[in-house]
Amino acid sequence: MFRVSVAPLWTIEGPDGRALGPRVVELLAQVDEHGSLAGACAASGVSYRHAWQLLREGEALFGQPLLLMSRGKGSQLTGLGERLVWAQRRVQARLSPVLDSLASELNAEIRKALSAAPERLRIHASHGFAVQMLHEAMEREALPHELKYCGSAEALAALVSGACEVAGFHVPLGEFEAATVAHYRPWLDPARQRLVMLATRRQGLMVTPGNPKKIYDVADLARPEVRFINRQPGSGTRHLLDLMLRQRRIDVAAIRGHEQCEYTHAAVAAFVASGMADAGFGLEVPAREFKLEFLPCHQERYFFLCEAASLETPDLRRMIERLRSADFRDAVNRLPGYQADEAGRVLTLAEAFGAPPQRAHR
C-alpha cells in the first residue's frame, strides 16, 4: 500500500545566505519539553556532541545564544530560543491538518492511477482529534478513504452535493442545540440520512497560564484590554461562540480580535500560548498540550452524517466497525475532554435531536 505524507518545513536565512537547519529547532523543542540538553539528546537520538554542534551553528547564524545551561538546573531556552520553538509549534498547529488533507487527496489520485485501486470512502469533516485518530487507524488498517478537513457547514454541503459520502459536524448539547440544528437544516433530510456517533467533547475558553486577565466567561472577551483569537467563519466552533455572545447581547465589534482567525483548535491554542492573544475558544486537548488553562463552557456531540442507503456499503461498514472497537474507544477516551463510549452508534435525526427538522429542499 502506498502512503503519501506531507510535512510542514520552514527556514530562516541569514544575510550571508546561511540557513537555520530544521534539526536546530527540533532540538530546542526537545530541550523545552525535557528540561535538559541530555534529555533532548536521549529523546531525539542525537549524540551530545552533535547537539552542541547544531546549537553552535544556530547561535553563529543569529549572533546570540539559544540555550542557557547551569549546573544542577538543567537547560533553559533563551528568549530567542523560545520564539523559535513557538514558531515551529504554530507552523505545525496551523498547517498539519491542511497538509493531512492534501496528503489524503494526493494519495487518492495516485491510487486512482493504479489499475487495481479500489473506490475510496470520501470523508469531509470539521477538524477534531477523534477524527484524526480515526483517520490514522483507517490508514494503518488500509481502509480505503479520503479525508478533507473543512468547516461543519462546508462538510454538510459537500454531502448533499455528492462530493463525499460522510460529513463530520458537531452540535452542542443543551440550550444551543436547537439553534445549531436549525443552522444546519438546509442540509438535513430525516427521511434519507442517518447519523453515526463519534464522541462527545468539551468546548471552552483557552487562557494564558495563571489567567492574568481574569477571563472566566465569554462576556469578559469584550473588555478592551483582552486580546482574542477566533476560529474561521463557517466553523461549528465559531457558530457556537457567536450563539453564546448573542445570548449575552455582546456586540462582536467590541471583541478585540473577533475577526482575526485560525483554522484549527491547535492553531488557536498555539496563538494564545505564544502570547499574541489572551484567550481563544476551542477544545480542551490543545489547551492542555500547550499548557494553557481551560475553562469548559459547553459539551457537544460530534457526528458523521451519511445517506441511510450507504450504511450497508463495505467501506462505511468497516469504518463503523472501527468506531465500535474497544481499542479505538479507549484511545479517544484518553483525550482530555473526550468521551467515546457510544462511538459507532447509528441514529436517526429524530433520535438525536428530538423533533425532526424540516425536510431539506434538494
Side-chain angles (χ1 to χ4, degrees):
M1 174 184 172
F2 295 97
R3 181 178 178 182
V4 175
S5 62
V6 185
L9 176 66
W10 62 283
T11 60
I12 298 177
E13 190 174 285
D16 59 358
R18 287 184 301 166
L20 181 70
R23 295 297 300 275
V24 177
V25 181
E26 292 171 9
L27 179 64
L28 292 174
Q30 291 288 349
V31 172
D32 184 56
E33 181 176 349
H34 297 281
S36 71
L37 185 59
C41 291
S44 58
V46 174
S47 71
Y48 204 77
R49 180 178 179 180
H50 184 54
W52 268 114
Q53 179 62 33
L54 289 173
L55 287 172
R56 281 194 290 266
E57 291 174 2
E59 291 174 348
L61 177 69
F62 292 108
Q64 57 179 281
L66 300 174
L67 190 66
L68 299 175
M69 300 183 67
S70 56
R71 188 179 299 275
K73 294 184 179 180
S75 308
Q76 183 178 356
L77 301 182
T78 64
L80 175 59
E82 289 179 347
R83 291 296 96 187
L84 291 173
V85 170
W86 283 119
Q88 171 76 352
R89 289 174 176 167
R90 280 201 68 208
V91 169
Q92 291 176 334
R94 176 180 283 187
L95 297 182
S96 290
V98 177
L99 295 180
D100 285 346
S101 291
L102 178 59
S104 184
E105 292 170 15
L106 294 175
N107 200 17
E109 292 303 315
I110 291 171
R111 291 178 65 88
K112 287 175 185 176
L114 300 175
S115 59
E119 293 296 320
R120 299 171 69 83
L121 183 68
R122 297 172 299 172
I123 304 170
H124 289 202
S126 173
H127 180 259
F129 297 90
V131 178
Q132 183 177 322
M133 294 182 83
L134 176 64
H135 170 58
E136 292 169 354
M138 293 175 72
E139 285 281 312
R140 287 194 302 270
E141 297 175 19
L143 302 182
H145 71 289
E146 178 183 338
L147 173 64
K148 177 182 178 181
Y149 287 126
C150 56
S152 291
E154 184 180 347
L156 293 173
L159 177 71
V160 172
S161 70
C164 67
E165 289 75 47
V166 177
F169 72 113
H170 45 100
V171 178
L173 289 162
E175 58 187 325
F176 298 119
E177 180 179 273
T180 302
V181 173
H183 176 68
Y184 295 138
R185 186 168 295 155
W187 304 289
L188 301 180
D189 186 340
R192 297 179 54 179
Q193 297 170 338
R194 295 295 181 268
L195 296 163
V196 180
M197 184 71 179
L198 174 60
T200 60
R201 60 186 196 178
R202 284 199 295 246
Q203 294 260 32
L205 290 165
M206 312 176 191
V207 300
T208 51
N211 196 7
K213 295 291 179 71
K214 307 300 180 186
I215 301 166
Y216 299 109
D217 186 84
V218 295
D220 294 322
L221 301 178
R223 300 199 327 251
E225 74 276 13
V226 173
R227 298 167 302 160
F228 181 66
I229 179 66
N230 207 351
R231 286 291 304 280
Q232 81 277 15
S235 69
T237 296
R238 179 159 175 158
H239 179 69
L240 172 58
L241 175 67
D242 285 347
L243 287 174
M244 296 170 66
L245 294 172
R246 194 176 307 146
Q247 182 196 58
R248 291 160 174 77
R249 298 181 180 178
I250 297 171
D251 184 357
V252 297
I255 298 177
R256 184 178 164 196
H258 183 269
E259 294 308 313
Q260 187 173 10
C261 63
E262 291 283 357
Y263 284 80
T264 68
H265 296 279
V268 168
F271 198 94
V272 175
S274 66
M276 292 185 290
D278 303 303
F281 189 76
L283 295 176
E284 186 171 355
V285 174
R288 302 303 182 197
E289 179 181 338
F290 283 91
K291 299 179 175 58
L292 301 175
E293 293 196 21
F294 181 79
L295 290 77
C297 296
H298 282 281
Q299 192 173 37
E300 62 183 14
R301 292 181 291 177
Y302 194 111
F303 298 101
F304 291 119
L305 186 71
C306 64
E307 296 288 333
S310 69
L311 286 169
E312 295 306 314
T313 60
D315 287 344
L316 188 51
R317 284 169 56 188
R318 292 174 71 188
M319 189 192 90
I320 293 173
E321 289 172 4
R322 167 47 40 196
L323 289 171
R324 292 173 177 172
S325 65
D327 60 332
F328 177 79
R329 291 180 175 183
D330 290 344
V332 174
N333 285 339
R334 287 193 290 271
L335 294 171
Y338 273 80
Q339 196 274 330
D341 290 348
E342 290 191 290
R345 181 185 176 192
V346 178
L347 300 164
T348 65
L349 274 72
E351 289 170 335
F353 306 127
Q358 297 175 359
R359 182 184 177 89
H361 296 290
R362 299 192 181 182

